[in-house]
Amino acid sequence: MLDQIKKIFTGSEEEIPMNTNRKPDISREKSAALYEKSKTYFPGGVNSPVRAFKSVYGTPLFIQKGDGCYIWDADGNQFIDFCASWGPLILGHNHAKVREKVTEVMQNGMSFGAPTALENELAELIIKNNRFVEKIRFTSSGTEAVMSAIRLARGYTNRNKIIKFEGCYHGHSDSLLVKAGSGLVTFGETSSAGVPKSFAEETIVIALNDKQALTEAFAQFQGDVAAVIIEGIPANNGLLIQDQDYIEFLRESCTANGALLIFDEVITGFRVGFEGAAAHYGIKPDIVTYGKIIGGGLPVGMYGASAEIMSHISPEGGVYQAGTLSGNPVAMAAGIAALTELSRSGFYKELNVKAQEFVASIQRFATARNYKFKVFTIGSIFWFAFTDKEKIQTAEDIDPTSMEKFKVMHRELLNRGIYLGPSGYEVGFVSAAHTKIELEKAKRAIFEALDLVFNPHP
Ligand SMILES: *Cc1c(COP(=O)(O)O)cnc(C)c1O
């Protein structure tokens, strides 16, 4: 088997053995018992819906601990983790530097509701190494950061409407839980109960990668569009990588129409590089939001812009935004330790090369087998898509029936010690803690899982 695998790594198309052996399902007794209990406490047994395993087999695994690229569940099953807490853990689990800094800072107390030097320290790490923000404000989650960025854009421009894209996720604030209605340019429709229709009417939802829709939206709501918000690289509904040309068009259209361009980089910030997608495209957004990685695994979000735009935030300006635990010292400590590691020269190059090699050999395997399977990828982000399309750039391009295949793949990977987020619409992450050894193991498991997905009856 190893020899054949080597051939795949080197791109040879020689004979590859078929493997259609299902493995027994992992033991889930303890996780299942914990889930029964958690259902009595929390709606659906969870504190965030995607954790509920609604679109994959089985019940949620309750995680006991993580170390490096590994996690262990309550039943003692060990997994190589590609979910990384949904993105924050670019250094892997329980990184020594992060743990030590957090432990050190915790000795002095956990929260003061007054400024600390740690906030300056994390801000300096970010601002000194980033061309896109001059002043920032810390929040406690990505949702909060984006919600505040929207308020800032409205306050700054004295306009009401925002334009967002179908297939982009920006957290769960009211203005952003809105999906496309019917027709090319329409008001959004709420995508959650509890969001008033009148709120949704302030959000215009259009398709990604559609210049005409954007032009029409600006024309229809002329003079009232405060901002266009897009994920730096849309990575919450598959990985919908946009063309350079389109992002440039967005930038130009915003400027021409007096609207602000917001890059929501909660997932791409410090992931595709220290300066995120803005640097990847070489385009300066007016407001940027970060989250996930900047907290090193603790809850932190952040928005930033030019000093001039940020001067509109209270107490300097009239846009109110606050937080009891904002800039929390323990969370700042984790962020400082994590970003210090990320700012070392060569960090991203090494990580991205490793991830790209991993992804390329998976793609070679699938291509050699003629499987309708494509790995979309950028930096250390990857997304497994059961498709034969060369590009997927809009939410509509994703075939919902392909998720049945992901479901089988997810089960087979869990049974082989590989943990992916429990939904085929979610991306996976390679972290600095994944070594070649674990990536080889993971590849072998992925090859076997793909064989089972595509040859269910040997
Ligand atoms: C995760 C995410 C959010 C929401 O962040 P939370 O910390 O979960 O509130 C917002 N925008 C993007 C692009 C994200 O990936």
Side-chain angles (χ1 to χ4, degrees):
M1 183 70 185
L2 253 179
D3 270 1
Q4 270 102 348
I5 287 170
K6 262 189 212 134
K7 275 179 204 145
I8 296 154
F9 295 149
T10 54
S12 154
E13 287 186 20
E14 278 169 63
E15 198 183 322
I16 301 160
M18 285 285 174
N19 185 334
T20 48
N21 299 326
R22 269 215 59 192
K23 293 232 163 143
D25 285 337
I26 50 167
S27 57
R28 294 194 199 220
E29 264 168 55
K30 292 199 173 126
S31 278
L34 287 166
Y35 184 50
E36 281 312 305
K37 202 162 209 188
S38 73
K39 281 196 282 189
T40 69
Y41 301 138
F42 313 115
V46 290
N47 284 295
S48 194
V50 77
R51 298 177 192 172
F53 274 48
K54 285 284 178 210
S55 45
V56 293
Y57 290 104
T59 48
L61 301 180
F62 280 63
I63 305 303
Q64 189 109 18
K65 66 169 185 176
D67 196 56
C69 68
Y70 289 103
I71 52 173
W72 288 263
D73 69 10
D75 291 277
N77 298 304
Q78 181 187 25
F79 303 93
I80 300 173
D81 177 31
F82 290 98
C83 177
S85 190
W86 303 101
L89 302 180
I90 191 168
L91 296 171
H93 294 269
N94 200 16
H95 190 272
K97 291 273 171 60
V98 178
R99 183 182 61 240
E100 281 159 17
K101 181 81 182 170
V102 164
T103 314
E104 176 203 314
V105 164
M106 271 170 66
Q107 309 308 313
N108 297 325
M110 318 254 178
S111 180
F112 311 108
T116 66
L118 293 158
E119 290 151 77
N120 287 356
E121 212 181 311
L122 184 55
E124 194 167 304
L125 258 168
I126 295 166
I127 293 169
K128 288 230 165 114
N129 296 298
N130 186 311
R131 287 163 286 171
F132 305 103
V133 291
E134 288 175 354
K135 278 200 177 175
I136 65 178
R137 169 67 59 87
F138 287 119
T139 63
S140 297
S141 73
T143 293
E144 220 188 317
V146 180
M147 177 186 81
S148 311
I150 297 283
R151 187 179 304 138
L152 171 58
R154 286 176 167 150
Y156 180 79
T157 57
N158 278 315
R159 295 174 173 191
N160 297 311
K161 301 264 186 289
I162 55 170
I163 297 177
K164 86 175 274 290
F165 298 92
E166 188 72 6
C168 283
Y169 177 69
H170 302 291
H172 62 87
S173 67
D174 284 342
S175 326
L176 295 162
L177 283 182
V178 174
K179 60 182 183 209
S182 50
L184 189 58
V185 176
T186 57
F187 297 120
E189 282 173 19
T190 64
S191 60
S192 164
V195 178
K197 231 179 142 73
S198 58
F199 287 22
E201 282 176 8
E202 302 299 338
T203 306
I204 301 143
V205 186
I206 59 176
L208 284 160
N209 195 33
D210 184 343
K211 292 181 183 174
Q212 194 195 338
L214 183 71
T215 304
E216 285 182 25
F218 269 125
Q220 191 171 337
F221 302 99
Q222 207 176 12
D224 201 26
V225 177
V228 173
I229 182 166
I230 186 168
E231 283 184 61
I233 296 160
N236 276 286
N237 184 71
L239 183 62
L240 309 174
I241 302 171
Q242 303 298 297
D243 296 333
Q244 174 78 28
D245 168 58
Y246 179 68
I247 304 295
E248 281 170 13
F249 181 77
L250 275 188
R251 173 67 278 178
E252 287 157 16
S253 303
C254 285
T255 307
N257 289 283
L260 301 185
L261 177 61
I262 305 174
F263 272 11
D264 177 2
E265 298 228 37
V266 171
I267 205 164
T268 47
F270 303 91
R271 170 58 67 177
V272 297
F274 202 89
E275 295 177 285
H280 171 80
Y281 285 110
I283 283 175
K284 192 176 184 313
D286 299 298
I287 306 178
V288 190
T289 60
Y290 297 123
K292 298 194 168 112
I293 289 178
I294 58 164
L298 270 73
V300 183
M302 187 213 99
Y303 61 100
S306 66
E308 195 258 322
I309 293 179
M310 288 303 281
S311 72
H312 289 253
I313 294 293
S314 67
E316 254 179 272
V319 177
Y320 191 73
Q321 189 267 313
T324 302
L325 292 177
S326 293
N328 172 267
V330 183
M332 293 293 107
I336 291 163
L339 264 49
T340 301
E341 294 305 302
L342 305 186
S343 62
R344 294 191 197 292
S345 104
F347 176 86
Y348 286 100
K349 190 160 181 232
E350 192 182 322
L351 173 63
N352 294 350
V353 166
K354 183 171 71 178
Q356 289 302 307
E357 281 172 7
F358 171 66
V359 164
S361 56
I362 297 168
Q363 187 63 67
R364 274 202 297 276
F365 174 86
T367 307
R369 287 269 217 260
N370 278 319
Y371 292 155
K372 209 171 128 178
F373 177 79
K374 181 126 176 57
V375 195
F376 292 96
T377 181
I378 185 159
S380 53
I381 309 177
F382 63 86
W383 177 48
F384 292 155
F386 293 87
T387 183
D388 47 14
K389 293 192 173 110
E390 272 311 303
K391 279 186 174 183
I392 293 192
Q393 294 184 304
T394 69
E396 252 197 350
D397 287 340
I398 304 175
D399 171 13
T401 64
S402 69
M403 295 302 156
E404 282 306 307
K405 288 200 164 59
F406 177 82
K407 213 171 146 176
V408 174
M409 183 174 198
H410 187 266
R411 179 191 65 203
E412 294 305 321
L413 286 179
L414 279 187
N415 292 344
R416 286 166 175 76
I418 308 296
Y419 190 89
L420 292 182
S423 159
Y425 288 94
E426 301 290 347
V427 297
F429 302 97
V430 176
S431 78
H434 289 92
T435 70
K436 287 241 155 95
I437 296 169
E438 284 108 9
L439 293 176
E440 291 296 309
K441 270 194 213 159
K443 274 188 245 177
R444 231 165 300 159
I446 289 165
F447 296 168
E448 289 181 12
L450 283 171
D451 279 343
L452 275 159
V453 169
F454 288 97
N455 308 287
H457 307 294

